[in-house]
Amino acid sequence: MSACSVLRRIENILQQVTDFLGNPAAFTQATADNLSQQIELVRGGVRNLPLARGPKNDILARLNQAQFLLSNNNLSTVELLLAVINILQVAAMKVKGRKLPCGPGLVTVHPSNRLSTICNFCK
């Protein structure tokens, strides 16, 4: 999985979580479990990214925090949703901040670097 795919999955999860801010009563434990499973898929994608151990473990720890919050509802629903949103945004920012090869999308090739594989989506 590429960095762009990881970012798209995080965006999709963020959109699902933010949809519940309008009606927090609709957020159930089954929904939380489904979101946690989707975050687990993102974690698998992060494990496959060509990152050093430190940054990779940092991103994985953030995603683990989001899963932990979803499984332990000690907060009000709105606080829980906002906390998960913030954690996922930080994880996305950490992935986006790395210059990683990205296969899909538009490829920008700079004349000084013929082998540039940084796509426009990841910038």
Side-chain angles (χ1 to χ4, degrees), residues 84-122:
V84 170
I85 288 169
N86 286 335
I87 291 169
L88 290 176
Q89 286 176 336
V90 168
M93 182 182 67
K94 288 186 175 284
V95 172
K96 197 179 267 189
R98 300 285 173 183
K99 299 287 185 188
L100 297 170
C102 185
L106 300 174
V107 177
T108 303
V109 178
H110 303 283
S112 61
N113 186 4
R114 294 178 296 160
L115 302 175
S116 177
T117 59
I118 299 171
C119 71
N120 288 336
F121 183 81
C122 295

Side-chain angles (χ1 to χ4, degrees), residues 50-75:
L51 283 172
R53 182 178 297 171
K56 186 182 293 190
N57 286 341
D58 185 33
I59 296 166
L60 291 171
R62 305 282 178 192
L63 296 171
N64 192 37
Q65 289 172 345
Q67 285 181 302
F68 178 78
L69 285 175
L70 288 169
S71 65
N72 299 321
N73 291 346
N74 296 336
L75 303 170

Side-chain angles (χ1 to χ4, degrees), residues 1 5-6 9-10 13 34-48 60 63 67:
M1 183 180 293
S5 299
V6 169
R9 284 186 181 219
I10 291 174
I13 296 169
N34 182 29
L35 290 171
S36 184
Q37 290 173 355
Q38 290 180 40
I39 292 172
E40 187 62 34
L41 293 174
V42 172
R43 289 183 66 194
V46 170
R47 283 188 197 101
N48 291 330
L60 291 171
L63 296 171
Q67 285 181 302

Side-chain angles (χ1 to χ4, degrees), residues 1-22:
M1 183 180 293
S2 69
C4 294
S5 299
V6 169
L7 289 172
R8 276 190 224 111
R9 284 186 181 219
I10 291 174
E11 267 186 36
N12 289 338
I13 296 169
L14 277 168
Q15 185 60 49
Q16 291 176 28
V17 174
T18 55
D19 288 345
F20 285 105
L21 287 174

